Amino acid sequence: MENEGPRYLKDRKGYFPKDQRQRTRKRSREMEASVSSDLKKQRNRPGKMAYFDEVLKYGGMRFEELREFHKKGGKIVGTLCVMVPLELVNAAGARSVRMCSGYYEPVHPANELLGDAGLCPMVKSTLGRKMVSSDPLIDLIDLVAGPATCDGKMKLAEILEDWVPVVMMNIPRVKVGETSSDLWVKEIVHLKDRLEELTGHPVRKKALKEELSQWNEANQYWSEIQKLRRSERPPISGRDAMLVVQASQFDDIRRWNRKVKELIEELQRMRTKGIFAGEEGAARILLAGSPMIYPNFKIPSIIEGSGGTIVTDELCSGYRLMSDPVLVDGLSKKEIYQAIAERYFFPCSCPCFSPNDERVRRLKEVIKAFGIEGVVFHTLRGCHLNNLEATKIELALREISVPMVRIESEYDEGDIEQVRTRIEAFVEMIKARREYHRNPILEDVQ
Amino acid sequence: MKDMVTARGPYDLGVDVGAISTKVILLKDGKVVGNTIALTSMEPGKLVRELMRDLLDEKGLEREDIGYIVATGQGRRSVDMADLARTEITAFAKGAFFLAPDVEIVVDIGGHGIRVMRMGEMGIISDFRTNDKCSSGTGCFMDTMAMALEVGIEDIGERSLRSMVAEHVNATCTVFAESEVVSLVAKGKTTEDILAGLHQMVARKIVALVNTTRSKGKVLVCGGVARNTGIVGELEKTINREMIVPEDPHLVGALGAALMAPRRKDPPVSDTGRRAAMGPDVGKMTFLDRLLRWSG
């Protein structure tokens, strides 16, 4: 396979003019800067958020660190979905970086390669980023770990092979039966072998256990934040919470843990003072559906700018990243891999799995626990799996009389006003319902 | 509190700045006193001010007589003198509930958008959907088709009713549908048959959107396109449930806006109020009644 050379772009040389790269870089940088400045304008924003802004900044401090690391011979692994065990990547001595892109501009080069193809814009943007290397970080990646989840992601991993070595992970999409979990454990071990090959470091049990405890600690901190968000007046906005959890995908997890701990302390102080991140009387919204990767914070910004506050989400770019710790039953290496495989397979409620009733069950549970008044179900255009599940979820939510609105969006700003009208109507509806559907008063969580 | 209410004039103004036309309605105690309509301009704020002045002059009223101004529609934020701005989704539901409280589904077919609202208790929307980035079936779409066929937009409904065998139109995209229409014209098909086919296509599309709500209840169709008797007729045939169209369907949004004036927590939903607002026997009219009313 490796010797065959490019398949999708045989005439790669000189295909993309230099000015396209310059333009894509410039627009990406501008987009990130404008989204970031909007985030900084949020009212009652904790001061400790500044660190997380910096981690995700285009060409920021974290990028410089990774470049230094790479220069010294360190290896960087790009991950495409949440099923890649980051503990393993780091235990092998490599650094993990989530590759999914939230930048709008790189969609255009991908369109030139593939045509429109009704493909998900996140996939196109990720591909476009690599094609014109619109982001200096993307060129540092030595290996891509891509679980074959949805059609878009699977073919994205295949196309990326034209540029960079890829480990395609055969994730079982049917969630029942012994064969599924056996296969997935084997795939995890295969990833380990490829990582060892890449770095030249064997994955030692001690290092792996150390990484596991660090990531489990991170999960712990995330659930602290979730607890704070459950309260009647969450001190952190939905966008900021997403920013924090997404930063973990790029950052050194030890430092991330330290910084999140500081943030939590600040948030707790804010809560005792009664500081609220949202507008007074804001509608408590749960965000569901397709991922929203920074800086594609279009929909969350509209929600939080139209009288809503995102109390929690069920996205693979948010809550799902940190929702479960790895629970190891024994001391053998086999048991550790078994535990990792389970953590990265069973709790994941990505719509690429079937049966996926776990998603509805969890959603209902979260709605009750967080006092959710309405669900915004977002699908990226071409995200068939989420689009299909939306119907099922809408009907399930109707049973517990929680309203849901479906929003389809693309990677551009053309639909902002249309989306805003719908979200505003949704918030108006929730507020009108309050007079007739009294929500149970939230118990103050502590 | 009472003083504050009396300090405001007794009239409420509902303004619906739509994509194509701007509708203004003057309401007093749940009764429509007057209304006016104009094409939406580039400066909706200025346009609304002019329309209001005309309406006030016509009725011999002063600016002080108006208590609240509530704006809705796509241009609601451009109406600077409004006390309140609400989305058209809320406004149409409010207006429709006022006219016919027993309706379960409200369909608003406007200039740029189709909105389907499922009504819950007390006239509060429990669910809604809209057309997604597609203008098919909207007022703009029908405008384009009428232009391609060189028929006035006000005549297309009536002319389509004269068709004996409707042509089949498959394309839903505005641009593709236009080229399909042009090719049908080239084949020598009559304007009437083509229009009837277009109306069938639009009706199918709207019914599909309505059916995604999984509701089997009564439907109220409003918005400017509901004045097109051809589409209304086709909808009645395909929707397979009870359906009503108010007499002035395009004014429902402005009516809903006026009803949202903060003083009216609970609008008087009585038969008399409804009749007074929208003419007699609204909701009871058959298709033929409406047809006679409009064509006459």
Side-chain angles (χ1 to χ4, degrees), chain A residues 235-247:
Chain A
I236 184 165
S237 71
R239 280 175 284 174
D240 279 348
M242 271 164 68
L243 198 74
V244 169
V245 75
Q246 287 185 24

Side-chain angles (χ1 to χ4, degrees), chain A residues 85-101:
Chain A
L86 304 182
E87 294 93 338
L88 202 56
V89 175
N90 287 284
R95 295 285 179 272
S96 57
V97 169
R98 176 103 180 236
M99 272 182 94
C100 303
S101 164

Side-chain angles (χ1 to χ4, degrees), chain A residues 185-234:
Chain A
V185 177
K186 281 181 191 151
E187 286 294 313
I188 299 267
V189 174
H190 172 66
L191 174 68
K192 183 210 73 164
D193 294 342
R194 291 290 303 266
L195 288 168
E196 285 177 341
E197 205 178 285
L198 176 77
T199 59
H201 276 282
V203 176
R204 299 207 188 282
K205 199 155 90 178
K206 200 180 155 201
L208 189 54
K209 278 169 83 177
E210 168 60 18
E211 284 296 327
L212 284 173
S213 79
Q214 288 296 334
W215 282 91
N216 283 354
E217 200 182 320
N219 278 308
Q220 200 81 48
Y221 289 133
W222 176 245
S223 70
E224 282 295 317
I225 293 185
Q226 288 291 85
K227 240 188 226 172
L228 287 161
R229 294 173 80 190
R230 264 171 77 172
S231 65
E232 217 179 319
R233 296 161 64 80

Side-chain angles (χ1 to χ4, degrees), chain B residues 101-244:
Chain B
D102 57 334
V103 154
E104 207 174 301
I105 299 284
V106 178
V107 182
D108 158 33
I109 318 170
H112 280 184
I114 302 174
R115 303 159 199 100
V116 174
M117 285 76 82
R118 197 168 67 95
M119 308 293 285
E121 295 164 73
M122 300 303 295
I124 297 166
I125 307 172
S126 64
D127 189 3
F128 63 88
R129 32 215 81 198
T130 57
N131 59 329
D132 240 356
K133 282 188 181 174
C134 170
S135 64
S136 178
T138 62
C140 263
F141 173 84
M142 290 319 301
D143 255 347
T144 312
M145 297 307 133
M147 244 183 291
L149 288 165
E150 294 173 345
V151 185
I153 186 77
E154 58 285 345
D155 298 329
I156 54 171
E158 211 191 314
R159 283 196 61 179
S160 74
L161 293 174
R162 287 189 224 140
S163 155
M164 299 309 271
V165 188
E167 279 304 321
H168 211 72
V169 180
N170 296 301
T172 49
C173 167
T174 309
V175 175
F176 294 153
E178 191 181 350
S179 64
E180 199 173 342
V181 163
V182 170
S183 71
L184 285 172
V185 171
K187 278 185 201 156
K189 307 292 180 191
T190 67
T191 309
E192 281 77 10
D193 289 350
I194 298 172
L195 279 170
L198 279 168
H199 290 158
Q200 275 179 4
M201 188 277 286
V202 170
R204 276 200 305 274
K205 203 180 143 79
I206 292 167
V207 169
L209 195 63
V210 169
N211 284 343
T212 60
T213 62
R214 307 274 188 111
S215 156
K216 296 267 170 270
K218 193 169 165 184
V219 176
L220 183 141
V221 183
C222 52
V225 177
R227 298 183 65 172
N228 180 334
T229 43
I231 287 185
V232 168
E234 291 299 340
L235 271 175
E236 227 151 38
K237 273 188 234 159
T238 36
I239 207 157
N240 204 13
R241 60 176 106 190
E242 202 181 337
M243 182 184 118
I244 56 169

Side-chain angles (χ1 to χ4, degrees), chain A residues 330-346:
Chain A
L331 294 168
S332 74
K333 235 178 173 178
K334 195 183 157 214
E335 278 162 316
I336 295 178
Y337 285 118
Q338 181 80 36
I340 293 177
E342 279 171 10
R343 148 70 175 89
Y344 282 95
F345 180 57
F346 288 110

